[in-house]
Amino acid sequence: MLASGLHYAAAWRGRTVVVKYGGSVLDAGDAGTVIEDLVLLKGAGVNPVLVHGGGPEITRMLDRLGKETLFVQGLRVTDAETMEIVEMVLAGRANKALVTMISMAGGSAVGLSGKDAGLLQASRLQAPEGLGFVGEVVGVRGAIIQTISDAGHIPVVASVGIGEGGESLNLNADHAAGALAAALGASKLVILTDVPGVMRTGPGEPEMLSTLSVGEVRQLMADGIVSRGMIPKVEACLNALAGGVPSAHIIGTSTPHALLIELFTEAGIGTMITTQAG
Ligand SMILES: Nc1ncnc2c1ncn2[C@@H]1O[C@H](COP(=O)(O)OP(=O)(O)OP(=O)(O)O)[C@@H](O)[C@H]1O
Ligand SMILES: [Mg+2]
Protein backbone atom coordinates (compact mmCIF):
# COMPACT_ATOMS: atom_id res chain seq x y z
CA MET A 1 0.00 0.00 0.00
CA LEU A 2 2.70 2.42 1.10
CA ALA A 3 5.08 1.21 -1.61
CA SER A 4 2.52 1.59 -4.38
CA GLY A 5 1.67 5.06 -3.06
CA LEU A 6 5.31 6.04 -3.43
CA HIS A 7 5.37 4.61 -6.96
CA TYR A 8 2.39 6.78 -7.83
CA ALA A 9 3.99 9.80 -6.20
CA ALA A 10 7.10 9.31 -8.33
CA ALA A 11 5.01 8.96 -11.48
CA TRP A 12 3.18 12.24 -10.74
CA ARG A 13 6.29 14.33 -10.19
CA GLY A 14 6.44 17.36 -12.48
CA ARG A 15 2.87 16.90 -13.72
CA THR A 16 0.13 19.50 -13.56
CA VAL A 17 -3.16 18.79 -11.81
CA VAL A 18 -5.94 21.36 -11.98
CA VAL A 19 -8.14 21.28 -8.87
CA LYS A 20 -11.47 23.11 -8.60
CA TYR A 21 -12.73 23.90 -5.15
CA GLY A 22 -16.30 25.11 -4.88
CA GLY A 23 -17.79 27.99 -3.04
CA SER A 24 -20.10 25.75 -1.07
CA VAL A 25 -17.19 23.84 0.42
CA LEU A 26 -15.41 27.09 1.21
CA ASP A 27 -18.57 28.32 2.85
CA ALA A 28 -18.53 25.53 5.41
CA GLY A 29 -15.55 27.43 6.86
CA ASP A 30 -13.71 24.15 7.04
CA ALA A 31 -11.51 23.26 4.14
CA GLY A 32 -10.95 19.81 5.66
CA THR A 33 -7.77 18.27 4.32
CA VAL A 34 -7.90 19.88 0.87
CA ILE A 35 -5.40 22.61 1.66
CA GLU A 36 -3.05 20.19 3.42
CA ASP A 37 -3.27 17.84 0.42
CA LEU A 38 -2.37 20.63 -2.01
CA VAL A 39 0.67 21.51 0.07
CA LEU A 40 1.71 17.84 0.33
CA LEU A 41 1.30 17.37 -3.43
CA LYS A 42 3.46 20.42 -4.11
CA GLY A 43 6.06 19.04 -1.70
CA ALA A 44 6.02 15.75 -3.60
CA GLY A 45 6.90 17.60 -6.82
CA VAL A 46 3.42 17.69 -8.36
CA ASN A 47 2.18 21.02 -9.73
CA PRO A 48 -1.33 21.62 -8.40
CA VAL A 49 -3.27 24.62 -9.75
CA LEU A 50 -6.28 25.67 -7.71
CA VAL A 51 -9.33 27.27 -9.36
CA HIS A 52 -12.14 28.54 -7.15
CA GLY A 53 -15.59 30.10 -7.15
CA GLY A 54 -17.33 31.69 -4.22
CA GLY A 55 -21.05 31.68 -4.91
CA PRO A 56 -22.44 31.68 -1.36
CA GLU A 57 -20.11 34.45 -0.21
CA ILE A 58 -21.07 36.61 -3.21
CA THR A 59 -24.74 36.14 -2.38
CA ARG A 60 -24.09 37.04 1.26
CA MET A 61 -22.26 40.23 0.31
CA LEU A 62 -25.00 41.22 -2.15
CA ASP A 63 -27.56 40.65 0.65
CA ARG A 64 -25.60 42.91 2.97
CA LEU A 65 -25.66 45.60 0.32
CA GLY A 66 -29.38 45.05 -0.21
CA LYS A 67 -28.97 43.72 -3.75
CA GLU A 68 -31.16 40.87 -4.85
CA THR A 69 -29.66 37.86 -6.62
CA LEU A 70 -31.41 36.51 -9.68
CA PHE A 71 -30.49 33.28 -11.41
CA VAL A 72 -31.39 32.25 -14.96
CA GLN A 73 -30.71 28.59 -15.75
CA GLY A 74 -28.36 28.43 -12.78
CA LEU A 75 -26.36 31.46 -13.91
CA ARG A 76 -26.22 34.63 -11.83
CA VAL A 77 -27.63 37.69 -13.59
CA THR A 78 -24.65 40.02 -13.30
CA ASP A 79 -25.25 43.73 -13.89
CA ALA A 80 -22.32 46.18 -13.69
CA GLU A 81 -22.77 46.75 -9.96
CA THR A 82 -23.07 43.02 -9.23
CA MET A 83 -19.91 42.38 -11.28
CA GLU A 84 -18.03 44.81 -9.04
CA ILE A 85 -19.09 42.81 -5.98
CA VAL A 86 -18.34 39.48 -7.70
CA GLU A 87 -14.82 40.62 -8.49
CA MET A 88 -14.27 42.05 -5.01
CA VAL A 89 -15.36 38.83 -3.34
CA LEU A 90 -13.77 36.32 -5.73
CA ALA A 91 -10.46 38.00 -6.56
CA GLY A 92 -10.31 39.63 -3.13
CA ARG A 93 -11.65 37.89 -0.09
CA ALA A 94 -12.11 34.33 -1.36
CA ASN A 95 -8.80 34.29 -3.23
CA LYS A 96 -6.81 35.73 -0.34
CA ALA A 97 -8.51 33.40 2.15
CA LEU A 98 -7.28 30.40 0.13
CA VAL A 99 -3.81 31.89 -0.32
CA THR A 100 -3.62 32.43 3.46
CA MET A 101 -4.83 28.89 4.25
CA ILE A 102 -2.11 27.45 2.00
CA SER A 103 0.47 29.65 3.65
CA MET A 104 -0.68 28.62 7.14
CA ALA A 105 -0.42 24.97 6.07
CA GLY A 106 3.25 25.47 5.25
CA GLY A 107 2.95 26.06 1.51
CA SER A 108 3.25 29.14 -0.64
CA ALA A 109 0.52 30.37 -2.96
CA VAL A 110 0.16 33.18 -5.46
CA GLY A 111 -3.40 34.38 -5.99
CA LEU A 112 -4.55 35.76 -9.30
CA SER A 113 -7.72 36.18 -11.30
CA GLY A 114 -8.24 35.42 -14.95
CA LYS A 115 -7.38 39.07 -15.64
CA ASP A 116 -3.77 38.74 -14.47
CA ALA A 117 -1.35 38.31 -17.38
CA GLY A 118 -4.43 37.81 -19.57
CA LEU A 119 -4.87 34.32 -18.14
CA LEU A 120 -8.57 33.75 -18.93
CA GLN A 121 -9.75 35.50 -22.09
CA ALA A 122 -13.52 35.60 -22.12
CA SER A 123 -16.45 36.75 -24.15
CA ARG A 124 -19.99 37.46 -23.06
CA LEU A 125 -22.40 34.56 -23.02
CA GLN A 126 -25.06 35.21 -25.65
CA ALA A 127 -27.65 32.80 -24.30
CA PRO A 128 -29.68 32.82 -22.16
CA GLU A 129 -30.31 36.53 -22.80
CA GLY A 130 -29.92 39.31 -20.26
CA LEU A 131 -27.20 37.77 -18.11
CA GLY A 132 -25.04 40.88 -18.25
CA PHE A 133 -21.39 40.40 -17.38
CA VAL A 134 -21.34 36.63 -17.53
CA GLY A 135 -18.67 35.19 -19.78
CA GLU A 136 -17.26 32.02 -21.22
CA VAL A 137 -13.58 31.27 -21.70
CA VAL A 138 -12.49 31.74 -25.31
CA GLY A 139 -8.73 31.64 -24.80
CA VAL A 140 -6.12 30.91 -22.15
CA ARG A 141 -2.68 32.51 -21.75
CA GLY A 142 -1.29 29.94 -19.39
CA ALA A 143 2.38 30.96 -19.31
CA ILE A 144 2.00 32.78 -15.98
CA ILE A 145 0.81 29.56 -14.32
CA GLN A 146 3.96 27.73 -15.38
CA THR A 147 6.09 30.60 -14.13
CA ILE A 148 4.41 30.59 -10.71
CA SER A 149 4.52 26.78 -10.43
CA ASP A 150 8.17 26.60 -11.48
CA ALA A 151 9.04 29.16 -8.81
CA GLY A 152 7.64 26.80 -6.17
CA HIS A 153 4.25 28.41 -5.53
CA ILE A 154 0.72 27.07 -5.89
CA PRO A 155 -1.28 29.26 -8.30
CA VAL A 156 -4.77 30.08 -6.96
CA VAL A 157 -7.09 31.34 -9.70
CA ALA A 158 -10.34 33.28 -9.11
CA SER A 159 -12.90 32.67 -11.84
CA VAL A 160 -13.06 36.18 -13.28
CA GLY A 161 -12.22 36.56 -16.96
CA ILE A 162 -11.13 39.49 -19.10
CA GLY A 163 -13.43 40.51 -21.95
CA GLU A 164 -12.41 41.91 -25.34
CA GLY A 165 -12.81 45.47 -24.06
CA GLY A 166 -10.89 44.81 -20.84
CA GLU A 167 -14.09 44.39 -18.83
CA SER A 168 -14.36 41.83 -16.03
CA LEU A 169 -16.60 38.87 -16.76
CA ASN A 170 -18.06 36.46 -14.25
CA LEU A 171 -17.06 32.90 -15.18
CA ASN A 172 -18.42 29.61 -13.93
CA ALA A 173 -15.50 28.20 -11.93
CA ASP A 174 -16.09 24.61 -13.12
CA HIS A 175 -15.90 25.72 -16.76
CA ALA A 176 -12.85 27.87 -16.06
CA ALA A 177 -11.08 24.89 -14.45
CA GLY A 178 -11.86 22.65 -17.42
CA ALA A 179 -10.57 25.21 -19.93
CA LEU A 180 -7.44 25.82 -17.87
CA ALA A 181 -6.71 22.09 -17.54
CA ALA A 182 -6.92 21.65 -21.31
CA ALA A 183 -4.80 24.71 -22.09
CA LEU A 184 -2.10 23.79 -19.56
CA GLY A 185 -1.88 20.23 -20.82
CA ALA A 186 -2.74 19.04 -17.32
CA SER A 187 -2.51 15.33 -16.52
CA LYS A 188 -5.71 15.49 -14.51
CA LEU A 189 -8.69 17.67 -13.68
CA VAL A 190 -10.16 17.16 -10.21
CA ILE A 191 -13.42 18.90 -9.30
CA LEU A 192 -14.03 18.83 -5.55
CA THR A 193 -17.56 19.20 -4.28
CA ASP A 194 -20.01 18.46 -1.47
CA VAL A 195 -21.22 15.10 -2.82
CA PRO A 196 -19.05 11.94 -3.13
CA GLY A 197 -19.28 11.93 -6.93
CA VAL A 198 -21.87 11.67 -9.70
CA MET A 199 -24.84 9.89 -8.13
CA ARG A 200 -27.73 7.95 -9.58
CA THR A 201 -30.85 7.62 -7.47
CA GLY A 202 -32.56 4.35 -8.18
CA PRO A 203 -35.29 2.47 -6.37
CA GLY A 204 -32.94 1.83 -3.46
CA GLU A 205 -30.00 3.76 -2.07
CA PRO A 206 -28.34 6.45 -4.21
CA GLU A 207 -25.49 4.87 -6.12
CA MET A 208 -22.14 6.56 -6.76
CA LEU A 209 -20.93 5.99 -10.32
CA SER A 210 -17.18 5.39 -10.10
CA THR A 211 -16.36 5.30 -13.82
CA LEU A 212 -18.19 7.01 -16.64
CA SER A 213 -17.47 7.22 -20.35
CA VAL A 214 -18.20 10.39 -22.31
CA GLY A 215 -21.26 8.70 -23.82
CA GLU A 216 -22.58 7.65 -20.42
CA VAL A 217 -22.20 11.21 -19.14
CA ARG A 218 -24.19 12.56 -22.09
CA GLN A 219 -26.93 10.01 -21.38
CA LEU A 220 -27.09 10.97 -17.69
CA MET A 221 -27.49 14.62 -18.72
CA ALA A 222 -30.17 13.78 -21.26
CA ASP A 223 -32.03 11.74 -18.63
CA GLY A 224 -31.88 14.62 -16.13
CA ILE A 225 -29.97 12.47 -13.62
CA VAL A 226 -27.15 14.97 -13.77
CA SER A 227 -28.81 18.30 -12.94
CA ARG A 228 -28.24 21.76 -11.43
CA GLY A 229 -24.74 22.31 -10.03
CA MET A 230 -23.54 18.98 -11.42
CA ILE A 231 -24.12 20.09 -15.04
CA PRO A 232 -21.19 22.55 -15.34
CA LYS A 233 -18.96 19.99 -13.61
CA VAL A 234 -19.53 17.21 -16.11
CA GLU A 235 -19.36 19.77 -18.95
CA ALA A 236 -15.98 20.93 -17.64
CA CYS A 237 -14.80 17.31 -17.51
CA LEU A 238 -15.95 16.66 -21.09
CA ASN A 239 -14.20 19.85 -22.28
CA ALA A 240 -10.98 18.92 -20.52
CA LEU A 241 -11.05 15.42 -22.04
CA ALA A 242 -11.77 16.85 -25.50
CA GLY A 243 -8.80 19.17 -24.94
CA GLY A 244 -6.46 16.25 -24.30
CA VAL A 245 -6.56 15.87 -20.51
CA PRO A 246 -6.39 12.08 -19.94
CA SER A 247 -8.77 11.86 -16.99
CA ALA A 248 -11.25 14.08 -15.19
CA HIS A 249 -12.72 13.44 -11.74
CA ILE A 250 -15.57 14.67 -9.59
CA ILE A 251 -14.90 13.84 -5.95
CA GLY A 252 -16.25 14.73 -2.53
CA THR A 253 -14.30 16.49 0.19
CA SER A 254 -16.00 14.61 3.01
CA THR A 255 -13.43 11.79 2.84
CA PRO A 256 -10.19 12.98 4.47
CA HIS A 257 -7.31 13.28 1.98
CA ALA A 258 -9.61 12.62 -0.99
CA LEU A 259 -7.15 14.39 -3.28
CA LEU A 260 -4.18 12.25 -2.21
CA ILE A 261 -6.29 9.09 -2.47
CA GLU A 262 -7.31 10.06 -6.00
CA LEU A 263 -3.76 10.66 -7.15
CA PHE A 264 -1.80 8.07 -5.23
CA THR A 265 -4.00 4.96 -5.11
CA GLU A 266 -4.96 2.45 -7.77
CA ALA A 267 -8.69 2.59 -7.02
CA GLY A 268 -8.96 6.35 -6.62
CA ILE A 269 -12.13 7.89 -5.23
CA GLY A 270 -15.33 9.50 -6.51
CA THR A 271 -16.29 9.53 -10.19
CA MET A 272 -13.74 9.26 -12.99
CA ILE A 273 -14.74 10.31 -16.49
CA THR A 274 -12.59 9.02 -19.34
CA THR A 275 -12.66 8.83 -23.12
CA GLN A 276 -12.33 5.07 -22.79
CA ALA A 277 -15.55 3.13 -23.04
CA GLY A 278 -16.65 1.52 -19.84
N1 LIG B 1 -26.43 13.21 -10.47
C1 LIG B 1 -25.97 13.99 -9.50
N2 LIG B 1 -25.05 13.51 -8.64
C2 LIG B 1 -24.56 14.27 -7.64
N3 LIG B 1 -24.93 15.54 -7.39
C3 LIG B 1 -25.85 16.10 -8.21
C4 LIG B 1 -26.40 15.34 -9.31
N4 LIG B 1 -27.28 16.15 -9.95
C5 LIG B 1 -27.29 17.32 -9.31
N5 LIG B 1 -26.43 17.34 -8.26
C6 LIG B 1 -26.20 18.47 -7.36
O1 LIG B 1 -24.97 19.11 -7.65
C7 LIG B 1 -24.46 19.67 -6.44
C8 LIG B 1 -22.99 20.06 -6.58
O2 LIG B 1 -22.89 21.27 -7.30
P1 LIG B 1 -22.82 22.71 -6.56
O3 LIG B 1 -22.74 23.72 -7.64
O4 LIG B 1 -23.94 22.81 -5.57
O5 LIG B 1 -21.46 22.63 -5.71
P2 LIG B 1 -20.05 23.33 -5.93
O6 LIG B 1 -19.88 23.70 -7.36
O7 LIG B 1 -19.05 22.42 -5.31
O8 LIG B 1 -20.15 24.63 -5.07
P3 LIG B 1 -20.53 26.12 -5.55
O9 LIG B 1 -21.34 26.05 -6.82
O10 LIG B 1 -21.32 26.63 -4.40
O11 LIG B 1 -19.24 26.81 -5.77
C9 LIG B 1 -24.74 18.58 -5.43
O12 LIG B 1 -24.75 19.04 -4.11
C10 LIG B 1 -26.13 18.08 -5.89
O13 LIG B 1 -27.14 18.78 -5.22
MG1 LIG C 1 -21.29 25.01 -8.49
Side-chain angles (χ1 to χ4, degrees):
M1 174 73 188
L2 197 53
S4 76
L6 287 172
H7 278 298
Y8 275 100
W12 277 95
R13 200 166 295 139
R15 301 219 208 169
T16 298
V17 179
V18 172
V19 177
K20 189 266 177 171
Y21 196 18
S24 55
V25 218
L26 258 177
D27 198 44
D30 169 24
T33 54
V34 173
I35 299 295
E36 188 187 346
D37 286 1
L38 289 169
V39 173
L40 288 169
L41 286 177
K42 187 74 184 176
V46 184
N47 287 324
V49 177
L50 183 60
V51 179
H52 68 91
E57 179 133 12
I58 293 168
T59 303
R60 225 178 7 252
M61 186 58 79
L62 288 168
D63 281 349
R64 270 162 70 175
L65 298 170
K67 245 183 115 56
E68 214 178 309
T69 304
L70 291 172
F71 285 89
V72 175
Q73 290 175 31
L75 297 165
R76 185 188 301 274
V77 176
T78 309
D79 60 17
E81 202 181 315
T82 301
M83 188 61 229
E84 276 185 33
I85 312 295
V86 167
E87 189 166 18
M88 279 193 247
V89 171
L90 281 184
R93 240 192 80 76
N95 190 266
K96 294 322 143 194
L98 287 164
V99 165
T100 306
M101 284 189 245
I102 290 171
S103 161
M104 297 312 283
S108 175
V110 172
L112 61 171
S113 85
K115 295 190 85 175
D116 292 274
L119 180 60
L120 299 173
Q121 311 276 315
S123 85
R124 282 200 197 205
L125 261 193
Q126 296 307 314
E129 257 177 57
L131 282 174
F133 293 89
V134 174
E136 60 183 334
V137 177
V138 292
V140 176
R141 294 192 189 149
I144 189 65
I145 296 296
Q146 200 61 52
T147 304
I148 293 169
S149 291
D150 288 349
H153 311 288
I154 299 172
V156 179
V157 181
S159 56
V160 173
I162 179 161
E164 287 105 10
E167 74 277 24
S168 302
L169 293 174
N170 186 9
L171 304 175
N172 175 285
D174 298 317
H175 286 161
L180 198 56
L184 295 175
S187 297
K188 212 187 257 299
L189 168 67
V190 180
I191 300 184
L192 298 169
T193 188
D194 58 354
V195 284
V198 179
M199 316 289 291
R200 174 163 43 200
T201 38
E205 288 284 292
E207 177 199 1
M208 212 267 301
L209 304 163
S210 35
T211 316
L212 290 172
S213 67
V214 171
E216 286 168 332
V217 169
R218 295 227 166 88
Q219 192 58 51
L220 290 170
M221 290 172 85
D223 294 343
I225 292 166
V226 161
S227 65
R228 294 167 290 133
M230 194 49 68
I231 294 173
K233 294 186 203 315
V234 297
E235 285 173 345
C237 290
L238 296 185
N239 275 338
L241 294 173
V245 178
S247 68
H249 305 251
I250 297 168
I251 69 182
T253 49
S254 58
T255 306
H257 300 297
L259 208 44
L260 295 184
I261 295 170
E262 177 42 49
L263 262 82
F264 296 161
T265 67
E266 169 73 36
I269 193 168
T271 299
M272 172 170 77
I273 305 176
T274 55
T275 49
Q276 261 93 64

